[in-house]
Amino acid sequence: MAKPLTVLGIETSCDETAAAVVRDDRTVLAERLLTQLDEHAPYGGVVPEIAARAHLTHLDRLIGEAMAAAGLGFAELDGIAATGGPGLIGGVMVGVTTGKAIAAVHGLPFLAVNHLEGHALSVRLVDAAAAFPYLLLLVSGGHCQLLSVEGVGRYRRLGGTVDDAVGESFDKVAKMLGLGYPGGPALERAAKDGDPARFSLPRPMAGRPGCDFSFSGLKTAVRQAAEALPAGDFAAGDLADLAASFQAAVVDVLADRSAAAMDMFARGAGVLPAFVVAGGVAANAVVRGRLEALAGERGYRFVAPPPALCTDNAAMIAWAGIERLALGLTDPLDFKPRPRWPLDELAGA
Ligand code: KG4
Ligand code: ZN
């Protein structure tokens, strides 16, 4: 039997500093993650320079802790995978430089992982049955796309957002409603006991041909609804109802666009295809519930990674590194970090 592959993954593309050691039998040997909440909270959002500095401060220690917890030395690894983009360039540079240095010193392969590919393949770390091709709804802070995942490095984009990403709209609406940062989880909590039918909000793009998204008009509609409430009398019930109404509109749009993508997805005859939801917004229980029901109605197997694997983490980067390493898709040490890096520009196997 071939020796198992073990890879160290490094994630620094936004406000999570993370390191994980993962083996190709889908075992996460160790994982360390630090979310930079206190650093960015006073600004109501992620400040790129502060994020880069915090990654620099914490990354070496987190890698050391993950390696110690895995009980391995660097020389026992088979590769070093670091997020190579897309993301905040200062942070990506910290992760890539660290990864390259470890790879160079120990003579190991280096893997520059596309962060979106990390999200796209994360489901395969937890579900051995998630075979290619599958339909993927990728919903994160910076991206909102429907993709046909045809193999490692092989993505066909079916639709995407024409303005804001869905996570971004959660964050902006949460900020507008004074729910603070990070916005998505705060908005989900605020919506919990709210009436989703109280405010009538638009469902942008619903029913349109294709499967593109738009969220900026919905954000404006929430602002107008909030402004129409009596000034100074923004009761907790109003807040809950507005949050729930916004979340219901988002969920309706995600379900409508996903249904349209199911019509476009080339499913093989006789197989039950998987409908995978990944990225930070897939941590939202209402989103998951609705999309799971849709999948059932349309004859798809619904798969979503556990919430901790939906939001940014290093295990998904290590796993994507393992998938690429197994196919010989390694990267040179002069790889340049890429602030923008669409999935369909990836080299496939
Ligand atoms: O994938 P991710 O951790 O980072 C990016 O690659 O962008 O996604 C972060 C996004 C943020 O916009 C955050 O507000 C959103 O995911 N998010 C949520 C929830 N948890 C995270 N949105 C709605 N409900 C949640 N529970
Ligand atoms: Zn992400």
Side-chain angles (χ1 to χ4, degrees):
M1 218 171 76
K3 174 185 172 293
L5 296 175
T6 306
V7 166
L8 167 68
I10 297 171
E11 162 58 35
T12 56
S13 69
C14 192
D15 58 344
E16 268 89 17
T17 315
V21 185
V22 177
R23 213 166 52 196
D24 64 357
D25 63 359
R26 299 186 161 79
T27 308
V28 178
L29 297 174
E31 189 168 20
R32 291 291 181 277
L33 182 142
L34 188 113
T35 301
Q36 304 166 1
L37 289 179
D38 296 344
E39 285 88 342
H40 304 290
Y43 306 94
V46 179
V47 183
E49 289 75 13
I50 293 176
R53 195 168 289 271
H55 290 307
L56 201 55
T57 304
H58 299 294
L59 183 60
D60 285 354
R61 176 176 53 80
L62 295 174
I63 291 174
E65 287 176 11
M67 292 299 293
L72 295 175
F74 289 124
E76 293 170 88
L77 296 172
D78 299 288
I80 310 292
T83 295
L88 301 173
I89 189 67
V92 175
M93 283 168 67
V94 171
V96 163
T97 308
T98 304
K100 283 179 179 175
I102 299 170
V105 167
H106 298 279
L108 295 169
F110 173 68
L111 302 127
V113 170
N114 180 305
H115 180 84
L116 302 173
E117 178 159 62
H119 282 301
L121 299 179
S122 61
V123 67
R124 288 163 56 85
L125 169 56
V126 288
D127 188 339
F132 302 123
Y134 51 84
L135 178 63
L136 171 72
L137 172 64
L138 175 50
V139 277
S140 69
H143 297 86
C144 181
Q145 301 176 4
L146 279 152
L147 299 146
S148 172
V149 180
E150 291 164 7
V152 174
R154 292 175 48 214
Y155 302 89
R156 198 158 56 81
R157 196 180 136 106
L158 303 175
T161 184
V162 299
D163 43 51
D164 293 348
V166 61
E168 187 181 355
S169 77
F170 266 96
D171 294 333
K172 287 179 176 170
V173 166
K175 193 170 182 179
M176 194 194 298
L177 299 180
L179 293 169
Y181 156 88
L187 197 131
E188 183 180 9
R189 276 194 303 278
K192 211 163 174 47
D193 299 313
D195 172 7
R198 156 109 182 261
F199 294 93
S200 124
L201 298 172
R203 268 61 176 162
M205 307 294 259
R208 292 261 193 102
C211 59
D212 284 338
F213 302 85
S214 164
F215 291 102
S216 72
L218 179 56
K219 180 185 64 195
T220 307
V222 174
R223 178 180 298 116
Q224 287 165 346
E227 284 168 0
L229 288 168
D233 188 21
F234 203 67
D238 292 335
L239 185 65
D241 292 347
L242 197 45
S245 300
F246 163 75
Q247 188 170 258
V250 168
V251 168
D252 278 353
V253 169
L254 293 178
D256 177 272
R257 307 287 69 202
S258 299
M262 287 172 182
D263 293 337
M264 296 160 73
F265 180 71
R267 52 197 290 174
V271 288
L272 180 67
F275 173 48
V276 177
V277 186
V281 180
N284 182 297
V286 181
V287 168
R288 291 167 87 97
R290 175 64 170 279
L291 295 174
E292 181 164 16
L294 171 75
E297 288 158 20
R298 294 294 191 114
Y300 278 77
R301 189 170 74 88
F302 179 78
V303 199
L309 200 56
C310 287
T311 48
D312 285 349
N313 65 88
M316 71 179 190
I317 302 304
W319 176 257
I322 285 174
E323 296 243 35
R324 296 185 75 79
L325 182 61
L327 296 166
L329 298 170
T330 60
D331 294 283
L333 287 178
D334 64 356
F335 169 87
K336 287 188 188 53
R338 297 186 58 171
R340 288 180 46 76
W341 191 2
L343 262 184
D344 39 20
E345 281 180 21
L346 268 183

